């Protein structure tokens, strides 16, 4: 167990220091650079060398990292796809709301399919990026920001004033989810209060701040749970659990193969992926095309080579999966129900809300076997619709054989999710195996 705990511990550390998607990508980039990967800008020419290690980012919230094949021309791509974003609350523009000239609250909206009740009575903070004016109007500067301590909290209403709170109370997003920022003092000026706080935090003048993307997050660090520390409890396991493990595997296995091997972390999966930095964007396909073009000789038809490479490629779309919940056995399929710490899960759906089929599932099952890791199945109960992920979105843009997999977790989309310590080690081993041979 001691060995196993290291993977979940490292993941929790990464999550604790990555309070927004922008911090996730910045910290992932730092980890890659320390491992010898070169950060290319999308505006740079791609001069790629055999066995070279590179990464690009989109919008500061998505990333593709890869290692070139050992020879000049690759057979294809070995890909893992995951996502950087998690459900949360976003701070709206002009967010200050005062009540009785005494309380100061912030206006928010919900990002993704969050379990809203989990956001109450928790010390919260805000993090994200601030956009600051420069001399070039089309190139403002992004500055990451993260407030220390717990400046925000959403207090519950006392049960004496809300007798139905335990009987299916409907949370009103525009009323119930406005976090308290503090008590107003005499010198308080409501207009631009948050922008002034941001300016102070960043050491810039408030009138240079053009805008911001700020999200709320839990301030309590991740921790082990369970009698033998077999679980870990933290926010954003969906999907930093997979993003982190895939980058870890890519970094650890740096012997070049006949394939280009890549870990791709997209943003905005929780709101449908249809953004510039999401899995539905040309970012993915265009980056693969540029990698192929860099392998071509002068005058060679890159598109022909690209199609040949795609036909020999594989994508593991790695997200989280629904573990069997001991309090709700009736929510599961009757013969396929993944258990926490039972190993990674292959997700299948007749509706093709998951991209897996017999062939891609078989390839992944074999990979687990080679890694010495157990493997489980998930299908929805036939009368429950279930979720989806990036697998089907990427396969509608690119003809790549794809399997949807994930680790079995509980409390998916809660502010704190519950993962299995052994599972985090298992999936890291599977990615290591994938990138190794
Ligand atoms: Zn997810």
């Amino acid at each position: 167990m001691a060995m196993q705990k290291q993977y979940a511990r490292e993941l929790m550390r990464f999550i604790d220091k990555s309070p927004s998607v922008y911090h996730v990508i910045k910290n992932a980039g730092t980890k890659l650079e320390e491992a010898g990967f070169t950060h290319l800008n999308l505006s740079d020419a791609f001069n790629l060398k055999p066995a070279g290690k590179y990464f690009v980012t989109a919008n500061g919230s998505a990333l593709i990292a890869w290692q070139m094949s050992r020879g000049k021309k690759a057979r294809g791509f070995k890909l893992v796809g995951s996502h950087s974003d998690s459900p949360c609350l976003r701070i709206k523009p002009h967010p200050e709301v005062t009540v009785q000239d005494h309380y100061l609250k912030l206006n928010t909206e919900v990002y993704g399919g969050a379990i809203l009740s989990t956001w109450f009575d928790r010390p919260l903070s805000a993090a994200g990026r601030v956009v600051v004016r420069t001399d070039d109007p089309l190139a403002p500067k992004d500055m990451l920001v993260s407030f220390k301590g717990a400046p925000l909290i959403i207090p519950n209403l006392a049960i004496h004033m809300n007798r139905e709170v335990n009987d299916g109370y409907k949370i009103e997003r525009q009323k119930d989810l406005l976090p308290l920022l503090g008590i107003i003092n005499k010198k308080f000026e409501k207009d631009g209060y948050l922008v002034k706080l941001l300016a102070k935090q960043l050491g810039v003048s408030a009138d240079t701040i053009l805008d911001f993307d700020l999200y709320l997050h839990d301030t309590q660090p991740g921790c082990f749970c369970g009698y033998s520390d077999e679980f870990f409890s933290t926010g954003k396991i969906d999907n930093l659990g997979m993003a982190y493990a895939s980058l870890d595997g890519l970094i650890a296995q740096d012997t070049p193969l006949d394939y280009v091997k890549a870990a791709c972390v997209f943003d905005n999966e929780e709101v449908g992926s249809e953004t510039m930095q999401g899995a539905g964007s040309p970012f993915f396909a265009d980056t693969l095309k540029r990698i192929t073009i860099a392998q071509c000789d002068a005058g060679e038809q890159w598109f022909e080579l690209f199609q040949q490479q795609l036909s020999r490629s594989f994508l593991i779309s790695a997200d989280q999966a629904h573990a069997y919940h001991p309090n709700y056995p009736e929510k599961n399929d009757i013969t396929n129900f993944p258990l926490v710490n039972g190993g990674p899960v292959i997700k299948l759906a007749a509706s093709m809300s998951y991209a897996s089929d017999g062939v891609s599932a078989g390839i992944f099952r074999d990979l687990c076997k080679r890694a010495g890791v157990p493997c489980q199945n998930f299908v929805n109960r036939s009368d429950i619709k279930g979720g989806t992920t990036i697998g089907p979105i990427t396969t509608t843009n690119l003809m790549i054989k794809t399997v949807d997999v994930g680790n079995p977790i509980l409390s998916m989309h809660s502010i704190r999710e519950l993962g299995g310590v052994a599972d985090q080690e298992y999936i890291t081993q599977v990615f290591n195996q994938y990138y190794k041979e």
Side-chain angles (χ1 to χ4, degrees):
M1 204 69 177
M3 181 63 181
Q4 288 181 344
K5 279 175 81 172
Q6 152 203 339
Y7 295 91
R9 186 180 291 120
E10 279 173 17
L11 169 63
M12 286 192 282
R13 258 188 224 140
F14 182 80
I15 292 172
D16 289 343
K17 65 174 191 194
S18 306
S20 78
V21 276
Y22 312 107
H23 292 82
V24 167
I25 296 305
K26 169 140 193 300
N27 292 334
T30 304
K31 195 172 150 70
L32 287 162
E33 279 175 336
E34 283 167 7
F37 285 72
T38 304
H39 185 180
L40 298 174
N41 289 310
L42 291 175
S43 55
D44 293 337
F46 276 26
N47 294 315
L48 310 177
K49 303 212 161 46
K53 301 190 282 186
Y54 307 93
F55 70 100
V56 287
T57 62
N59 184 46
S61 63
L63 172 151
I64 298 176
W66 73 93
Q67 181 173 21
M68 298 297 285
S69 55
R70 62 185 138 211
K72 188 176 179 197
K73 287 198 174 70
R75 264 184 72 71
F77 297 92
K78 279 195 170 198
L79 304 155
V80 178
S82 63
H83 64 91
S84 57
D85 62 320
S86 305
C88 61
L89 303 179
R90 181 189 166 99
I91 299 178
K92 286 182 176 177
H94 190 56
E96 298 85 2
V97 181
T98 57
V99 182
Q100 299 288 12
D101 283 333
H102 186 71
Y103 296 114
L104 175 63
K105 309 190 289 185
L106 294 182
N107 192 6
T108 62
E109 61 181 319
V110 178
Y111 176 86
I115 301 180
L116 300 177
S117 62
T118 63
W119 285 78
F120 289 83
D121 296 335
R122 261 174 213 280
L124 302 172
S125 187
R129 68 177 172 190
V130 174
V131 181
V132 178
R133 194 172 62 213
T134 66
D135 291 341
D136 181 350
L138 287 189
K141 190 165 129 190
D142 283 13
M143 295 179 83
L144 298 196
V145 68
S146 168
F147 287 100
K148 288 203 170 60
L152 295 162
I153 190 157
I154 308 174
N156 252 303
L157 181 61
I159 194 167
H160 317 77
M161 296 171 177
N162 184 14
R163 292 283 179 195
E164 71 273 33
V165 68
N166 294 328
D167 303 310
Y169 174 74
K170 182 174 182 339
I171 293 168
E172 287 184 45
R173 293 166 179 235
Q174 191 57 72
K175 176 181 171 61
D176 294 332
L177 293 174
L178 306 193
L180 190 55
L181 178 59
I183 302 286
I184 297 165
N185 62 30
K186 281 202 189 93
K187 286 188 289 181
F188 176 72
E189 290 168 54
K190 182 176 158 188
D191 284 339
Y193 183 77
L194 180 67
V195 167
K196 281 180 215 144
L197 286 186
L198 292 169
K200 198 170 153 206
Q201 179 89 4
L202 294 171
V204 300
S205 93
D207 60 4
T208 63
I209 293 183
L210 299 170
D211 220 317
F212 55 80
D213 294 304
L214 283 177
Y215 299 86
L216 267 52
H217 64 90
D218 188 13
T219 58
Q220 293 173 344
C223 64
F224 291 104
C225 283
Y227 182 68
S228 306
D229 284 356
E230 54 268 72
F231 305 117
F232 64 103
S233 164
T234 184
K236 306 174 184 178
I237 298 175
D238 177 8
N239 192 17
L240 298 184
M242 291 293 148
Y244 190 82
S246 64
L247 290 168
D248 219 27
L250 184 69
I251 287 170
Q253 302 303 327
D254 68 349
T255 306
L257 305 179
D258 290 338
Y259 291 84
V260 173
K261 39 188 175 174
C264 315
V265 184
F266 301 105
D267 193 6
N268 299 133
E269 190 274 344
E270 302 295 356
V271 291
S273 298
E274 304 289 328
T275 64
M276 185 186 82
Q277 56 280 358
S281 129
F283 175 51
F284 186 36
D286 286 353
T287 302
L288 298 190
K289 285 175 195 168
R290 292 176 80 175
I291 293 172
T292 299
I293 290 167
Q295 300 165 41
C296 288
D297 301 317
E300 190 181 345
Q301 294 291 321
W302 70 269
F303 189 71
E304 181 59 27
L305 179 61
F306 185 57
Q307 294 300 319
Q308 290 175 14
Q309 289 181 336
L310 290 187
S311 74
R312 296 188 286 253
S313 297
F314 193 66
L315 169 63
I316 300 176
S317 160
D319 205 340
Q320 301 294 324
H322 301 298
Y324 181 99
H325 194 303
N327 294 351
Y328 308 93
E330 72 282 5
K331 295 289 183 190
N332 295 273
D333 180 54
I334 57 174
T335 59
N336 298 281
F337 36 84
L339 301 173
V340 173
N341 287 336
V345 176
I346 297 168
K347 302 189 265 186
L348 265 160
S351 67
M352 297 310 285
S353 57
Y354 298 124
S356 320
D357 60 17
V359 175
S360 62
I363 290 172
F364 187 78
R365 202 179 307 284
D366 188 42
L367 190 61
C368 289
K369 204 170 220 168
R370 287 166 192 256
V373 162
C375 176
Q376 311 184 82
N377 294 302
F378 175 84
V379 286
N380 292 306
R381 254 189 85 90
S382 302
D383 45 12
I384 290 180
K385 184 165 173 272
T388 184
T389 178
I390 62 168
I393 292 161
T394 49
T395 49
T396 46
N397 294 327
L398 271 172
M399 271 196 44
I400 296 182
K401 210 178 288 144
T402 300
V403 66
D404 269 308
V405 305
N407 267 351
I409 64 166
L410 296 169
S411 320
M412 190 184 285
H413 291 193
S414 166
I415 193 169
R416 285 181 88 86
E417 299 172 322
L418 192 69
V421 167
D423 290 327
Q424 193 61 32
E425 185 196 13
Y426 288 147
I427 197 69
T428 311
Q429 285 177 347
V430 172
F431 292 146
N432 271 291
Q433 185 70 33
Y434 183 55
Y435 289 133
K436 187 163 76 185
E437 58 175 6

